[in-house]
Amino acid sequence: MKAEELSLRQGYDMLKSEWNAIAGFKNGEFGLHQGYYQSLSEVKPEVRNSANLSAIQAEQQSIISQLNAIRSLDGLADNEQAYVAEVSQNLITQLNSDLDDLQSVLTNGELQIGDDERINRLQRISASIKDKYVFTCFFCRKVQLLCAQRQQDNHEVETLRRYYKVK
């Protein structure tokens, strides 16, 4: 019986050792996966530095200041002022959405994506903000030109009225 018990004990010990080895492999593999997924949540300095945050901030400030400047222009009818206000509000809403996306891409723990995807998203956000900046410059310049033309027209009408002495 002793030999059988010894054989049985050796078999159990061998199985226990194999199970521990399997558990070690499993936990090691799990640790590797966990480390990989954890790394996807972290923003690396190279990625963070790839975003030109100063240009984005300058464009954002320029958009806001240009939109504020055209709100106070004289020469727009009420419906035109309402249109300008609506366009301004839509631009600000979209800009805030872009800035929220930018913050989530650059904040550790917000997204689980690789560096290449982070960089792609940063490029898309930057391009979107640049597009809004270009549109804002164009739109505001057109509104300013419209107001200037109307002021010039009003000045010419007043000059003609004085010249012909019409009231």
Side-chain angles (χ1 to χ4, degrees):
M1 281 291 260
K2 288 276 194 199
E4 289 176 7
E5 284 181 21
L6 186 59
S7 264
L8 192 57
R9 171 57 81 197
Q10 287 174 341
Y12 285 136
D13 288 343
M14 186 177 77
L15 284 174
K16 184 176 181 182
S17 143
E18 294 298 319
W19 285 336
N20 287 339
I22 291 171
F25 291 139
K26 179 189 69 100
N27 290 338
E29 183 76 15
F30 177 73
L32 289 174
H33 286 291
Q34 188 176 22
Y36 171 73
Y37 287 114
Q38 179 67 28
S39 75
L40 292 178
S41 296
E42 296 173 3
V43 181
K44 294 184 181 52
E46 301 83 25
V47 173
R48 183 173 279 119
N49 294 337
S50 74
N52 191 350
L53 296 178
S54 59
I56 289 171
Q57 185 178 22
E59 289 169 348
Q60 171 205 8
Q61 290 173 347
S62 179
I63 289 169
I64 292 170
S65 65
Q66 288 183 67
L67 293 175
N68 287 336
I70 63 171
R71 288 181 184 158
S72 62
L73 290 176
D74 293 330
L76 294 177
D78 289 342
N79 64 336
E80 292 167 333
Q81 287 176 341
Y83 177 73
V84 167
E86 183 180 347
V87 169
S88 297
Q89 185 59 43
N90 286 339
L91 273 169
I92 296 296
T93 300
Q94 292 174 12
L95 182 62
N96 286 336
S97 176
D98 286 341
L99 294 175
D100 289 344
D101 290 345
L102 178 66
Q103 183 176 356
S104 69
V105 170
L106 294 177
T107 302
N108 286 330
E110 287 285 320
L111 300 172
Q112 269 192 338
I113 56 177
D115 294 341
D116 56 340
E117 179 62 22
R118 279 188 201 277
I119 290 171
N120 287 338
R121 285 191 184 190
L122 288 173
Q123 290 171 344
R124 282 194 305 262
I125 293 166
S126 181
S128 178
I129 292 173
K130 176 66 101 180
D131 185 48
K132 287 169 185 58
Y133 171 75
V134 169
F135 173 79
T136 301
C137 292
F138 175 79
F139 179 74
C140 290
R141 186 70 188 133
K142 290 294 185 181
V143 170
Q144 291 167 341
L145 283 173
L146 176 64
C147 291
Q149 287 173 338
R150 287 197 178 150
Q151 287 175 351
Q152 180 66 30
D153 290 347
N154 289 340
H155 179 69
E156 289 174 4
V157 167
E158 288 300 317
T159 301
L160 287 173
R161 283 186 179 160
R162 278 184 293 180
Y163 182 73
Y164 290 110
K165 298 180 184 175
V166 177
K167 296 194 180 203

